[in-house]
Amino acid sequence: MKSLEEQLADAKAELDRIERAIRAAPCAEVGHRWKHLGGKHAGCVESDPDFDCDCSLPVYECEVCGNCDYGENEEAREIIANCKARREKRSSK
Ligand SMILES: [Zn+2]
Ligand SMILES: [Zn+2]
């Protein structure tokens, strides 16, 4: 029977193998592997230049194929929506 240490080593090797397989799989199969690249200015103030907006949208790039979402993601949409809500709140008072 294998010792616990050996079982752990086997499990780690298996984990490693699966992780490598996922990394090697094409994006079309498993989806993009988004990596946070940085932030870009949201520019949600274009319609309201008086509003002091410092929103920054997260930009992601796929580690595998290099595809970039240029801030087109769920998080960014939420940030823009929140900013819009803040502007509306301000203008309603
Ligand atoms: Zn990709
Ligand atoms: Zn904003």
Side-chain angles (χ1 to χ4, degrees):
M1 205 183 111
K2 285 184 171 182
S3 72
L4 287 173
E5 282 84 359
E6 283 168 337
Q7 289 178 45
L8 182 65
D10 282 357
K12 279 181 178 166
E14 178 70 0
L15 190 71
D16 214 51
R17 190 188 64 75
I18 297 169
E19 279 178 348
R20 270 202 306 275
I22 290 173
R23 277 201 294 274
C27 294
E29 241 170 66
V30 297
H32 295 299
R33 268 52 60 87
W34 297 118
K35 178 182 74 177
H36 189 236
L37 253 195
K40 73 161 191 175
H41 191 258
C44 36
V45 280
E46 266 146 44
S47 58
D48 184 1
D50 296 333
F51 188 70
D52 189 15
C53 162
D54 57 359
C55 300
S56 167
L57 306 182
V59 178
Y60 291 89
E61 187 186 69
C62 176
E63 283 184 304
V64 179
C65 68
N67 208 320
C68 184
D69 73 357
Y70 301 105
E72 288 287 322
N73 50 60
E74 200 50 50
E75 239 175 290
R77 272 188 286 279
E78 223 166 88
I79 290 167
I80 292 169
N82 283 338
C83 182
K84 190 166 177 279
R86 280 209 311 275
R87 281 205 302 277
E88 282 165 1
K89 215 168 141 194
R90 179 204 59 160
S91 59
S92 70
K93 69 172 174 191

